[in-house]
């Protein structure tokens, strides 16, 4: 398996020796029609439970947070980013301390990820499989998919260095008023999930409420099926200083990635 990066020839990593990280918000506004996603990082779902379905109590309270909560558990997880919901119909038919049973119920959920830097590639089997994914680009570079973790680590280190040097030079990447003490970069990388706007869950479906909540936990990795042809493999970076998540104050950052050129096929 390979990871491919479609690009213009002038931007090929082997030529320019840099990598650009953009933000979710930038990809909503970018001018190129072939890569723009005006809903990047945000999505609305209609979740339907057909028949009797068991939901873990922690997911139930999270799914309906602000609308209804069963039990006195104050330690259920809080989902990062904007989360809102509207109960269309809810019928509970039993449960225990671990699960809630609902029947023929539905809820409308809107999710929006925190803004952050991302880097997008395509997961392909052969070199030729990347041709035509983004027709406007005239070039492509590749790495073996086994290097995905190492690439995430390397880009995290480069981003951390860029934030630190930017603070010193006045070219700020994050709020200059926030201390960079204990600055860390966390990278999550995996294939993007392509989910439709209406999702049905039943007691016999493979896709469960647990699967759904885990998928939408980080909306940086969820896109509508209309983007399926991109075969996207995404790297998402969370900037943390102390106990604070820092949001980028710029739309993108260019990293000196000369050290990575040797990884390119």
């Amino acid at each position: 398996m390979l990871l491919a990066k479609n690009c213009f020839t002038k931007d090929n990593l082997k030529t320019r020796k840099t990598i650009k990280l953009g933000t979710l918000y930038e990809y909503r506004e970018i001018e190129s029609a072939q890569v723009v996603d005006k809903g990047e990082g945000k999505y609305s779902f209609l979740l339907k439970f057909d028949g009797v379905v068991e939901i873990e109590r922690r997911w139930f309270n999270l799914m309906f947070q602000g609308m209804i909560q069963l039990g006195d558990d104050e330690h259920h997880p809080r989902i990062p980013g904007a989360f809102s919901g509207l109960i269309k119909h809810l019928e509970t038919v039993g449960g225990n301390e671990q699960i809630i049973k609902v029947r023929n119920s539905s809820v409308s959920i809107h999710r929006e990820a925190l803004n952050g830097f991302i880097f997008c590639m395509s997961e392909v089997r052969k070199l030729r499989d990347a041709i035509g994914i983004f027709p406007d680009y005239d070039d492509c570079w590749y790495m073996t998919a086994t290097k995905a973790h190492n690439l995430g680590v390397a880009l995290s280190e480069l981003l951390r260095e860029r934030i630190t040097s930017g603070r010193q030079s006045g070219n700020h990447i994050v709020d200059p008023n926030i201390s960079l003490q204990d600055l860390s970069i966390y990278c999550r990388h995996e294939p993007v999930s392509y989910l439709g706007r209406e999702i049905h869950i039943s007691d016999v479906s493979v896709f469960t409420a647990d699967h759904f909540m885990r998928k939408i936990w980080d909306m940086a990795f969820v896109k509508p099926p209309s983007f399926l042809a991109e075969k996207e493999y995404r790297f998402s970076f969370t900037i943390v200083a102390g106990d604070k998540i820092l949001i980028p104050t710029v739309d993108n950052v260019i990293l000196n990635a000369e050290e990575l050129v040797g990884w390119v096929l």
Side-chain angles (χ1 to χ4, degrees):
M1 192 68 73
L2 300 171
L3 296 181
K5 183 62 177 179
N6 291 77
C7 61
F8 294 114
T9 300
K10 64 181 179 64
D11 296 325
N12 192 304
L13 175 57
K14 292 184 291 186
T15 303
R16 177 156 285 188
K17 299 180 174 57
T18 62
I19 284 180
K20 174 186 173 182
L21 305 184
T23 63
L24 288 169
Y25 288 7
E26 182 191 33
Y27 280 99
R28 293 178 190 170
E29 305 297 334
I30 198 167
E31 294 181 358
S32 174
Q34 67 177 345
V35 295
V36 67
D37 178 4
K38 295 186 181 299
E40 188 72 73
K42 58 182 180 180
Y43 209 39
S44 295
F45 304 89
L46 178 59
L47 186 60
K48 289 190 172 184
F49 301 99
D50 301 326
V52 177
V53 178
E54 294 184 353
I55 308 174
E56 286 187 40
R57 184 180 291 270
R58 62 182 181 132
W59 289 133
F60 181 94
N61 287 334
L62 181 59
M63 193 181 301
F64 296 100
Q65 65 179 353
M67 298 177 284
I68 187 173
Q69 177 173 323
L70 298 182
D72 56 1
D73 179 14
E74 298 179 356
H75 304 290
H76 61 79
R78 292 291 178 179
I79 205 161
F83 185 105
S84 61
L86 174 65
I87 296 173
K88 302 287 189 179
H89 177 73
L90 177 62
E91 180 184 358
T92 60
V93 291
N96 54 41
E97 292 183 356
Q98 285 75 43
I99 65 166
I100 302 295
K101 292 183 179 180
V102 301
R103 179 168 57 198
N104 297 329
S105 300
S106 63
V107 58
S108 176
I109 294 175
H110 179 78
R111 280 285 291 117
E112 184 168 348
L114 293 173
N115 193 25
F117 289 117
I118 59 174
F119 182 65
C120 308
M121 302 184 78
S122 296
E123 192 174 38
V124 298
R125 292 188 176 277
K126 299 179 181 179
L127 298 177
R128 64 172 180 268
D129 293 340
I131 298 174
I133 292 179
F134 299 99
D136 291 349
Y137 290 137
D138 59 2
D139 203 357
C140 189
W141 56 267
Y142 305 82
M143 286 184 182
T144 60
T146 56
K147 281 188 164 37
H149 177 73
N150 291 339
L151 179 59
V153 171
L155 291 177
S156 296
E157 293 175 350
L158 292 172
L159 178 57
R160 187 183 188 282
E161 293 171 3
R162 180 66 180 81
I163 292 171
T164 302
S165 63
R167 174 63 60 89
Q168 296 169 349
S169 65
N171 296 313
H172 301 290
I173 306 300
V174 295
D175 187 341
N177 298 309
I178 297 179
S179 171
L180 296 183
Q181 186 175 0
D182 299 323
L183 177 66
S184 300
I185 310 295
Y186 295 92
C187 177
R188 177 181 170 190
H189 59 90
E190 62 185 57
V192 163
S193 295
Y194 299 94
L195 298 182
R197 291 189 181 276
E198 184 170 312
I199 296 175
H200 289 256
I201 295 175
S202 71
D203 61 345
V204 296
S205 62
V206 175
F207 196 77
T208 65
D210 180 80
H211 290 148
F212 175 74
M213 294 305 293
R214 291 182 186 279
K215 288 292 185 185
I216 70 166
W217 185 270
D218 189 348
M219 285 300 299
F221 290 87
V222 175
K223 301 189 75 169
S226 57
F227 290 89
L228 184 61
E230 295 180 357
K231 306 172 185 177
E232 186 174 339
Y233 192 98
R234 177 169 290 191
F235 298 79
S236 177
F237 303 90
T238 302
I239 307 167
V240 178
D243 60 352
K244 295 181 179 179
I245 296 178
L246 307 188
I247 306 301
T249 56
V250 295
D251 287 335
N252 58 73
V253 61
I254 306 297
L255 304 178
N256 184 340
E258 185 172 1
E259 65 188 66
L260 305 181
V261 173
W263 298 5
V264 178
L265 298 178

